[in-house]
Protein backbone atom coordinates (compact mmCIF):
# COMPACT_ATOMS: atom_id res chain seq x y z
CA UNK A 1 0.00 0.00 0.00
CA UNK A 2 1.14 3.56 -0.74
CA UNK A 3 -0.11 6.59 1.18
CA UNK A 4 -0.47 9.86 -0.73
CA UNK A 5 -1.05 13.34 0.64
CA UNK A 6 -3.78 14.72 -1.62
CA UNK A 7 -5.31 18.16 -2.05
CA UNK A 8 -8.74 18.95 -3.47
CA UNK A 9 -9.64 21.91 -5.65
CA UNK A 10 -10.96 23.84 -2.63
CA UNK A 11 -7.67 23.43 -0.72
CA UNK A 12 -8.38 20.60 1.74
CA UNK A 13 -5.37 18.31 2.31
CA UNK A 14 -5.97 14.66 3.24
CA UNK A 15 -4.35 11.21 3.09
CA UNK A 16 -5.42 8.30 0.91
CA UNK A 17 -4.06 4.76 0.53
CA UNK A 18 -3.62 3.00 -2.81
CA UNK A 19 -2.19 -0.31 -3.95
CA UNK A 20 0.11 1.44 -6.43
CA UNK A 21 0.72 4.75 -8.19
CA UNK A 22 -1.10 3.33 -11.22
CA UNK A 23 -4.15 2.51 -9.05
CA UNK A 24 -4.20 6.10 -7.78
CA UNK A 25 -3.94 7.53 -11.31
CA UNK A 26 -6.70 5.24 -12.64
CA UNK A 27 -9.08 6.06 -9.78
CA UNK A 28 -8.34 9.78 -9.98
CA UNK A 29 -8.93 9.78 -13.76
CA UNK A 30 -12.26 8.00 -13.21
CA UNK A 31 -13.14 10.66 -10.58
CA UNK A 32 -13.43 7.96 -7.89
CA UNK A 33 -11.14 9.83 -5.48
CA UNK A 34 -13.06 12.52 -3.60
CA UNK A 35 -12.20 14.90 -0.77
CA UNK A 36 -13.65 13.46 2.46
CA UNK A 37 -14.44 16.97 3.69
CA UNK A 38 -16.27 18.50 0.73
CA UNK A 39 -16.70 15.71 -1.85
CA UNK A 40 -14.67 17.54 -4.53
CA UNK A 41 -13.32 15.09 -7.14
CA UNK A 42 -10.72 17.58 -8.45
CA UNK A 43 -7.88 15.91 -6.54
CA UNK A 44 -4.11 16.09 -7.03
CA UNK A 45 -1.05 15.07 -5.05
CA UNK A 46 -0.25 17.68 -2.40
CA UNK A 47 3.21 19.16 -2.07
CA UNK A 48 4.83 17.55 0.95
CA UNK A 49 7.20 19.47 3.21
CA UNK A 50 10.27 17.51 4.30
CA UNK A 51 10.54 16.62 7.98
CA UNK A 52 13.53 18.58 9.26
CA UNK A 53 14.92 17.99 12.70
CA UNK A 54 17.29 20.20 14.60
CA UNK A 55 18.96 20.18 17.97
CA UNK A 56 15.84 21.15 19.91
CA UNK A 57 13.36 20.19 17.24
CA UNK A 58 13.20 16.39 17.09
CA UNK A 59 10.68 14.78 14.78
CA UNK A 60 9.06 11.83 16.55
CA UNK A 61 9.87 8.50 14.96
CA UNK A 62 7.02 6.48 13.55
CA UNK A 63 6.36 2.81 14.10
CA UNK A 64 9.02 0.36 13.02
CA UNK A 65 8.47 -1.60 9.80
CA UNK A 66 7.81 -4.74 11.88
CA UNK A 67 5.20 -2.87 13.96
CA UNK A 68 3.53 -1.48 10.80
CA UNK A 69 3.39 -4.99 9.32
CA UNK A 70 1.85 -6.33 12.54
CA UNK A 71 -0.78 -3.55 12.55
CA UNK A 72 -1.67 -4.13 8.89
CA UNK A 73 -1.91 -7.89 9.52
CA UNK A 74 -4.23 -7.30 12.46
CA UNK A 75 -6.42 -4.92 10.43
CA UNK A 76 -6.60 -7.36 7.53
CA UNK A 77 -7.52 -10.20 9.92
CA UNK A 78 -10.33 -8.19 11.56
CA UNK A 79 -11.63 -7.11 8.18
CA UNK A 80 -11.60 -10.72 6.94
CA UNK A 81 -13.73 -11.67 9.97
CA UNK A 82 -16.21 -8.89 9.14
CA UNK A 83 -16.39 -9.91 5.49
CA UNK A 84 -16.83 -13.60 6.33
CA UNK A 85 -19.77 -12.85 8.63
CA UNK A 86 -21.61 -10.58 6.17
CA UNK A 87 -23.10 -10.83 2.66
CA UNK A 88 -21.80 -8.92 -0.39
CA UNK A 89 -24.48 -6.67 -1.94
CA UNK A 90 -22.25 -4.69 -4.31
CA UNK A 91 -23.52 -1.29 -5.43
CA UNK A 92 -26.90 -1.87 -3.76
CA UNK A 93 -25.31 -1.25 -0.35
CA UNK A 94 -26.83 2.19 0.30
CA UNK A 95 -30.34 1.10 -0.75
CA UNK A 96 -30.20 -2.12 1.29
CA UNK A 97 -28.79 -0.37 4.39
CA UNK A 98 -31.50 2.30 4.22
CA UNK A 99 -34.23 -0.34 3.73
CA UNK A 100 -33.04 -2.22 6.83
CA UNK A 101 -32.87 1.03 8.80
CA UNK A 102 -36.46 1.88 7.84
CA UNK A 103 -37.69 -1.63 8.66
CA UNK A 104 -38.53 -2.54 5.06
CA UNK A 105 -36.03 -5.45 5.20
CA UNK A 106 -34.89 -7.69 8.04
CA UNK A 107 -31.55 -6.47 9.41
CA UNK A 108 -28.66 -8.71 8.36
CA UNK A 109 -24.91 -8.01 8.15
CA UNK A 110 -24.00 -6.80 4.64
CA UNK A 111 -21.03 -5.21 2.90
CA UNK A 112 -20.74 -3.57 -0.50
CA UNK A 113 -19.84 -0.35 -2.25
CA UNK A 114 -21.17 3.19 -1.81
CA UNK A 115 -20.02 6.53 -3.11
CA UNK A 116 -18.89 9.20 -0.67
CA UNK A 117 -22.18 11.05 -1.23
CA UNK A 118 -24.22 7.90 -0.56
CA UNK A 119 -22.24 7.11 2.60
CA UNK A 120 -22.58 10.70 3.83
CA UNK A 121 -26.36 10.62 3.23
CA UNK A 122 -26.65 7.33 5.18
CA UNK A 123 -24.80 8.81 8.16
CA UNK A 124 -26.84 12.04 8.03
CA UNK A 125 -30.04 9.93 8.03
CA UNK A 126 -28.88 8.03 11.12
CA UNK A 127 -28.16 4.75 9.35
CA UNK A 128 -25.44 2.85 11.24
CA UNK A 129 -22.64 2.02 8.80
CA UNK A 130 -19.01 1.07 9.39
CA UNK A 131 -16.38 1.91 6.78
CA UNK A 132 -13.89 -0.92 6.39
CA UNK A 133 -10.25 0.02 7.05
CA UNK A 134 -8.83 -1.52 3.87
CA UNK A 135 -10.14 -1.39 0.29
CA UNK A 136 -12.64 -4.14 -0.54
CA UNK A 137 -13.29 -5.65 -3.95
CA UNK A 138 -16.09 -8.01 -5.00
CA UNK A 139 -15.72 -11.58 -3.70
CA UNK A 140 -14.49 -13.09 -6.99
CA UNK A 141 -11.60 -10.65 -7.46
CA UNK A 142 -8.25 -10.36 -5.73
CA UNK A 143 -7.99 -7.51 -3.23
Amino acid sequence: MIVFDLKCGTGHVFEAWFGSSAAYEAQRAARQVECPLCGDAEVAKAVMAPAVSGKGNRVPEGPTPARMKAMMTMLASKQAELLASSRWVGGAFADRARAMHLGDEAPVPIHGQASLAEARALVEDGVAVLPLPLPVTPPDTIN
Side-chain angles (χ1 to χ4, degrees), residues 32-98:
Q32 295 174 333
V33 181
E34 298 176 342
C35 175
L37 301 171
C38 66
D40 186 8
E42 292 299 322
V43 174
K45 291 180 185 174
V47 177
M48 296 173 33
V52 179
S53 64
K55 191 172 189 176
N57 181 21
R58 289 199 37 97
V59 174
E61 292 184 22
T64 64
R67 177 79 174 132
M68 284 297 294
K69 184 176 180 179
M71 290 188 302
M72 291 300 289
T73 300
M74 183 196 67
L75 275 174
S77 171
K78 293 297 180 191
Q79 180 166 306
E81 289 175 25
L82 289 170
L83 294 175
S85 64
S86 62
R87 191 173 70 239
W88 171 259
V89 294
F93 178 80
D95 293 334
R96 299 288 303 275
R98 182 168 278 107

Side-chain angles (χ1 to χ4, degrees), residues 118-134:
E118 290 171 324
R120 184 177 288 137
L122 288 172
V123 171
E124 288 172 356
D125 292 344
V127 179
V129 294
L130 172 69
L132 294 172
L134 301 173

